[in-house]
Amino acid sequence: MPNTAVRAAAEGMPALNRRRLLLGLAAASTAAAAITVAPGVHSAEPAAHPDAALFLLDKEMDKATAAMNRALKAARRIDKKCDKLFPPEPPIWEEPAMPEDVRTAFNAMTVQDLVDNRAAIYVAWCKEVGEQRAAHKALRAAHRAKVDEIQREFGADTAEDVFNESVSAQYDVGERILATPANTVEGLLVKLRVADDLDLHHAAENDALVSIAADIRRWAGVA
């Protein structure tokens, strides 16, 4: 059960920003679940209850969520330590505007001139801009290397891997819960807890509501 919103938001982002995004979203989701989700009502239910399997999975979800919270806190502690040691980020570089004399020479050139007879003043300006771009790229690379070095030293990458694994484990239990038919209102409440714990209310495809709707239709004898 992929977290569509988190995955889409994190796609293609630099490692540092991606880590902060994932940890921030997970923290927000965990805080919301802690406020809105009441304790399970099935703690004293006998094993013969029609939804005993869901109750067991719900307890397994509690353990998986607790493990995810521990991994989240550990990763955030490391990130805070790293943040204090990161060097200042290089300023944003923008290509300078073309000087008027260079623009005049450029406008005077034909398409063929651009291929094999470019004006010397235009060539010099392009070279200068290229050197500026390369210098800025080198600064960014050096900054990224220092950030990576600090994160490796404090184990940030390892902590993020552990956190990601804990999230995957939590979603695995959630998938098993949603794949288990509910036979009572108490069983549906277990699935609603999954929707809160995994923040499925804002997912592109709300697997929890699809599963719950299927249970209601089955109870009502609707195909």
Side-chain angles (χ1 to χ4, degrees), residues 6-26 79 83 86 89 92 140 143-144 147-148 151 156-157 160 163-164:
V6 172
R7 180 168 298 175
E11 185 69 23
M13 298 188 67
L16 177 60
N17 291 337
R18 178 178 177 278
R19 175 181 293 112
R20 285 175 171 168
L21 175 71
L22 290 173
L23 299 187
L25 289 177
D79 271 356
D83 282 344
F86 288 153
E89 193 164 344
I92 297 175
R140 299 289 300 180
H143 179 268
R144 180 71 258 172
V147 166
D148 289 343
Q151 289 178 336
D157 290 337
E160 184 186 3
F163 168 68
N164 287 336

Side-chain angles (χ1 to χ4, degrees), residues 4 30 55 69 72 91-92 114 133 163 170 175 179 186 212:
T4 309
T30 299
F55 297 162
N69 286 333
L72 171 63
I92 297 175
L114 287 173
R133 183 183 294 106
F163 168 68
Q170 188 189 32
E175 286 181 342
E186 290 85 352
I212 292 169

